[in-house]
Amino acid sequence: MLVKFILNGEDVAFDAYPGETLFELLRRNHHTEVKGNNCKTGECGACTVLIDGEPVPSCTYLAGKINGKNVITVKGIGDYDNPNIIQKIFVEEGAIQCGYCIPGIIISVKNLLDKVSNPTEEDIKIALSSHICRCTGYVQQIDATKKLIEIMKGEKK
Amino acid sequence: MSKTVKEEIFIEKKVIGKNVEKYDGLPLAVGNPLFTDDIFLPNMLYGKFLLSPYPHAEIVEIDESEALKIPGVKLILSYKNTPRIPHTTAGQGYPEPSPYDHFMFDKKVRYVGDRVCAVCAESIEIAEEAISKIKVTYKELPYVLDPEEAMKGEVIIHDEEETTGIYDKKRNIISHVELNIGDFEKDFSKSYYKIEKEFFITQPVQHTPIETHIAITYFDEYGNLVVRTSTQVPFHIRRILSRILEFPMNKIRVIKPRVGGGFGVKQEMVLEDVCALMTIRTKRPVRIEYTRKEEFIASRLRHPSKIWISLGADKSGKLNAIQMKVLLNNGGYGTHGPTVLFNSGSKTLPLYNKAESVSFIGDAVYTNLPVSGAFRGYGATNGYFALESAMDDLAELIGIDPIELRKINHIKEGETSPVFEKLGEGREGVVQYIESSALSECIDLGKKIIEWERWRGKRVRNGSFVRGVGMAIMMQGSGIPLIDMASARVKLNDDGTFHLFVGATDIGTGSDTVLAQILAEEIGVSYDKVKVYSSDTDFTPFDTGAYASSTTYVSGGAVQKAGKLIKEKILEYAAKILEEYPEDLKIEDDFVISQLTQKRISLREIGEKSFYSFEQEQIEVTASFVSPKSPPPFAAHFVLIDVDLETGKIIPIKYVAINDIGTVVHPNLAKGQVIGSIVQGLGYALTEELIYSNRGVPLNPNFLDYKVLTALDIPEIIVKFIETYEPTGPFGLKSVAEININGPAPAIRNAFLDATGIKLNSLPFTPEKVFKVINKIKIEVKKNLHN
Ligand code: FES
Ligand code: FES
């Protein structure tokens, strides 16, 4: 079945197999920035993408339902030549170890910063809690997010 | 700062100690294709295992006929058509200390999750369908899940003839150790204070690296078998594959891309053999990955264990005698059994070197449970839970502050312990004096930050909550002395930059970054002048791999040596151009400068000349390093907890970890290692446990039922370093990777004791368990009141 949607700002049309998940569809079409040979049950958050502005684990989302929707992966947030401030600060703060969880986490942090005007530590922890990171112990990720909030406040002034 | 800090530390360092940008940080943050699975190969086949549903059974018949009829099924591998070569799946130095008790496939299965056979097919769906069509007839055998039962020998788990290295097959004992220093019985009996055979239980836990095991194998254009795999030990994988596939070693190339976490579970060959054999037989690329469930049941675990401790002390609290008895449940195979067993004593007992007598007795035992292997902390984690808990009980008995007790007894700079020499990794160790330690200072600082005096013994109540504070201290090692070897190759390019090739395996720890820092510092150039290539068995020199807290220390040692050598070569070469003596030259800010005449030449010019115009040669060196010692890092951990008496929930409020890891090379990465380790240790202490049915079936192999901590579950965590200078380490450094996982379980246990007066000696401290214990005590108190 042919599905048409917007992926990182571009119109795409992919052939989806019956029963295929969005995660599988994206990876099969070389969107390897979405990580997740992992849980495949929506529990770890590694495969998270934004669908119409909501963070969703792509491994539990049927590809057939994606028609007409707007999908953003971590590449849509920033790439190597043009990284987003979130990506830069995460690197700077030591919030990345193996990095496998990071594309998903950056999606959730982006979503938090876009939607909540002045996030508290609790808000940050809730946003991160849909992700399992086995390496970092989360502290540096929380700190990086706090720093991002400060930077954004500064920009608004 | 510590008294141990020597002059060297004050020599200004330019790269070491700085938070340079992590080499792979940005590529990871933008999701570049870095992991095993991220490269797509055309024409790929998929492999899938059929795993045993029985804890112990003989395979009578495998009927593959229906499965083979499915279009797209290429091959089914089982004991019937694979080589039967005994080996261990442990990725350790050769000859491995682990027994050779494993075959690619066997006629017998030894745990729920053991390999029965494997299908290779055009897609994963076809492979799965084929698996469901294979009919296996099993003859169930009696099974045993408890190590003490297993040692009676009524059920024999490894009766095959070809095995080697098993201590006592008839009693299922993989490895046995008995170490006696002094006369334990005598010194213990004359002790004024005694903790006698206090008994501790630890549970099976899984590493849960966020990327499960995955391997992709293919033939390159020259007929080389390429193995792209998520591993901590590429060189060991190459060696083992060559032997068991009977395939020439120089035709096997193992590539380690970025690895999505390891923590020990990838110091093991769990997929590569079958994946590679499928490629050899089909001549096509093959990919096998474990699902999360398979990762839980068919990869490796931390050893469940039982530990008995006896401590004897004199009136002043000085320890006279320590005895530790360890019983490890290794599951169906003996991988890492001997070494984890030895380590549970060798990494813990030297900490209290004041005791005249030390007795260490242990067994690693086969059972019909899933297999235990290497896990960050490697035996020390189990050992410290028991030892550091018992130390608090001794303090309580004596009536002194547990911090005081530890200060009287812990090992100090300039001291040694006979345990170092007697107990190594599955064999004897090496003599070792502590040349750097700030443990006392770590304890003092932690005590202050946690506000020990404010909370200790106060049992502050707030509704149903009661507060307690506890602590633990520990040491680990840095590499395996006289075994671990690492090497590094460095070349100078014509733009004055350097390429560093290391066999060292960065599994997310940041070792590529840290090794580049060491090289840049040693040569005298900036960090961005060094580009790192790591862990490709065809292109990088040998390294034993990422384990035993060895990378920064051992591989760093090799890199520093290589840095020294290439510096000498560059200065000799520059001396000829500048017409000076090499002794008068030094490298600074990308220039070679004469200290006599101030004549200078840039590294770029040197590179260029060496390639094109003057005494043409590639300026390049290789160096190797074997660690003569394994200097321990030290840590003191403190935790403040609230216990909810109504629900049994233990809530860590504040966690303080003070570390002496020698020189801190990269503060942010080091901090990350400490915190990551602590949070893993908190999971071990509070929530994580793989639960089995009484038939040995894992009941919670998924992230919903197996509770890994999330961002919402962590306390405030304060990490500080007290820098020392370790003279045997490059730029004075020691290891950091493992030590901090050992603290949370005993520290929380001791805080709970402070809060409630109750001793919790069985991990994990889940609300159910804690609630039951609290309730039992409440009922007993009531009963006593009535009597
Ligand atoms: S792989 Fe999708 S949430 Fe884990
Ligand atoms: S950095 Fe490895 S899982 Fe998060």
Side-chain angles (χ1 to χ4, degrees), chain A residues 36 38-40 42-47 57 59:
Chain A
N38 195 356
C39 79
K40 310 262 166 74
E43 290 154 30
C44 77
C47 64
C59 69

Side-chain angles (χ1 to χ4, degrees), chain A residues 95-102 105 132-136 141, chain B residues 209-211 259-261 263 508:
Chain A
I96 300 174
Q97 285 185 27
C98 81
Y100 205 87
C101 65
I102 295 298
I105 287 184
I132 291 174
C133 173
R134 192 54 152 167
C135 302
T136 64
Q141 297 173 348
Chain B
I210 208 71
E211 175 205 40
V259 168
F263 318 111

Side-chain angles (χ1 to χ4, degrees), chain B residues 253-297:
Chain B
R253 173 181 171 199
V254 179
I255 302 171
K256 175 218 70 91
R258 293 296 99 186
V259 168
F263 318 111
V265 77
K266 292 174 183 169
Q267 196 197 335
E268 195 83 18
M269 188 189 65
V270 302
L271 306 175
E272 293 91 343
D273 52 343
V274 171
C275 203
L277 188 59
M278 285 174 173
T279 286
I280 292 173
R281 296 259 167 104
T282 64
K283 305 276 183 279
R284 284 174 61 181
V286 178
R287 174 189 130 132
I288 306 184
E289 73 174 281
Y290 266 171
T291 62
R292 182 54 60 186
K293 182 179 173 191
E294 288 165 340
E295 186 72 22
F296 270 109
I297 67 175

Side-chain angles (χ1 to χ4, degrees), chain A residues 24 27-30 32-40 43-44 46 74-75 78-80 83 87-88 90-94 96-103 106 122 124-126 128-129 131-140 142-143, chain B residues 21-22 25-35 37-38 40 125 206-214 259-261 263 289 291-292 375 507-508 668-669 671-673 675-676 679-680 688 702-704 706 708-712 714 717:
Chain A
E24 288 161 335
R27 283 196 71 91
R28 203 159 51 74
N29 287 285
H30 302 277
T32 49
E33 73 272 21
V34 185
K35 307 294 176 193
N37 68 296
N38 195 356
C39 79
K40 310 262 166 74
E43 290 154 30
C44 77
V74 76
K75 277 260 175 330
D79 61 20
Y80 189 81
Q87 291 159 325
K88 283 195 231 160
F90 261 61
V91 176
E92 231 174 84
E93 289 294 293
I96 300 174
Q97 285 185 27
C98 81
Y100 205 87
C101 65
I102 295 298
I106 283 177
E122 188 70 8
I124 299 172
K125 286 187 172 181
I126 290 171
L128 290 177
S129 72
H131 299 269
I132 291 174
C133 173
R134 192 54 152 167
C135 302
T136 64
Y138 310 106
V139 173
Q140 285 161 307
I142 296 168
D143 290 348
Chain B
E21 183 166 324
K22 187 173 187 260
L26 190 57
L28 289 166
V30 299
N32 278 356
L34 293 156
F35 296 92
D37 189 29
D38 291 344
F40 279 78
E125 290 77 18
Q206 220 273 323
H207 318 60
T208 71
I210 208 71
E211 175 205 40
T212 60
H213 279 85
I214 178 162
V259 168
F263 318 111
E289 73 174 281
T291 62
R292 182 54 60 186
F375 194 147
I507 53 168
N668 262 346
L669 290 178
K671 196 174 149 195
Q673 285 295 308
I675 299 171
V679 172
Q680 244 170 11
E688 292 181 38
N702 60 69
F703 279 141
L704 257 191
Y706 181 94
V708 173
L709 299 191
T710 73
L712 278 173
I714 58 165
I717 301 176

Side-chain angles (χ1 to χ4, degrees), chain A residues 22 42 44-61 66 70-74 77 103-116 123 126-131:
Chain A
L22 178 60
C44 77
C47 64
T48 302
V49 299
L50 290 173
I51 301 179
D52 284 348
E54 288 302 320
V56 177
S58 58
C59 69
T60 57
Y61 194 96
I66 203 66
N70 188 349
V71 177
I72 294 176
T73 72
V74 76
I77 289 179
I105 287 184
I106 283 177
I107 293 276
S108 285
V109 171
K110 161 96 176 133
N111 181 59
L112 173 79
L113 298 178
D114 282 352
K115 290 204 186 127
V116 184
D123 292 332
I126 290 171
L128 290 177
S129 72
S130 45
H131 299 269

Side-chain angles (χ1 to χ4, degrees), chain B residues 105-121:
Chain B
F105 292 95
D106 203 358
K107 258 206 91 142
K108 214 172 129 170
V109 285
R110 298 179 176 84
Y111 66 97
V112 174
D114 202 356
R115 298 169 167 190
V116 177
C117 60
V119 174
C120 179

